[in-house]
Amino acid sequence: MGNPLVMTALSSLISALVAAVVSAVVMKVRVVRKTSADAKRESEELKKLIVQNTLMTCRLVIYSDKFSIDEKLEAYIVYRDNGGNHQTKTYMDGLVGMDVDEYLEKHCKS
């Protein structure tokens, strides 16, 4: 069949190659999983930052004297839809002279 020494060496070489390939595949899977988890975490952080930035911009419009009531109402809708707080709703209630959400239902078509 062949030289037993050569067969043993060849068998050892094949075993080492198989072990190296399996190790490389396992490491690649771990890197992909970690990268995927990191990407998901970064995506969630980015979404939070976008919402925070949106809320801040809406508050600037709502409380500024430089914008019309229509612009403030549009900003309030975005603010409310992104989880804005009660203090700003109370402020908008005072601007429109009634519950701002009821006002929007009666006067806005959007």
Side-chain angles (χ1 to χ4, degrees), residues 80-99:
R80 177 191 62 194
D81 292 348
N82 281 281
N85 66 19
H86 179 73
Q87 179 182 356
T88 300
K89 181 188 179 313
T90 302
Y91 176 80
M92 290 300 294
D93 289 348
L95 277 181
V96 296
M98 62 184 293
D99 182 275

Side-chain angles (χ1 to χ4, degrees), residues 9 14 23 75:
I14 291 172
S23 294

Side-chain angles (χ1 to χ4, degrees), residues 6-17:
V6 171
M7 295 302 284
T8 302
L10 189 58
S11 176
S12 296
L13 181 62
I14 291 172
S15 296
L17 285 173

Side-chain angles (χ1 to χ4, degrees), residues 58-69 71-73 75-76 79 84-101 103:
C58 289
R59 278 192 302 268
L60 288 172
V61 171
I62 291 168
Y63 290 104
S64 173
D65 294 335
K66 307 235 184 268
F67 294 94
S68 71
I69 188 69
E71 292 168 319
K72 291 179 182 212
L73 287 168
Y76 171 75
Y79 187 78
N85 66 19
H86 179 73
Q87 179 182 356
T88 300
K89 181 188 179 313
T90 302
Y91 176 80
M92 290 300 294
D93 289 348
L95 277 181
V96 296
M98 62 184 293
D99 182 275
V100 66
D101 294 318
Y103 179 89

Side-chain angles (χ1 to χ4, degrees), residues 25-39:
V25 168
V26 167
M27 291 303 292
K28 181 67 175 174
V29 168
R30 286 182 182 165
V31 168
V32 168
R33 282 184 183 163
K34 183 179 182 205
T35 302
S36 177
D38 289 345

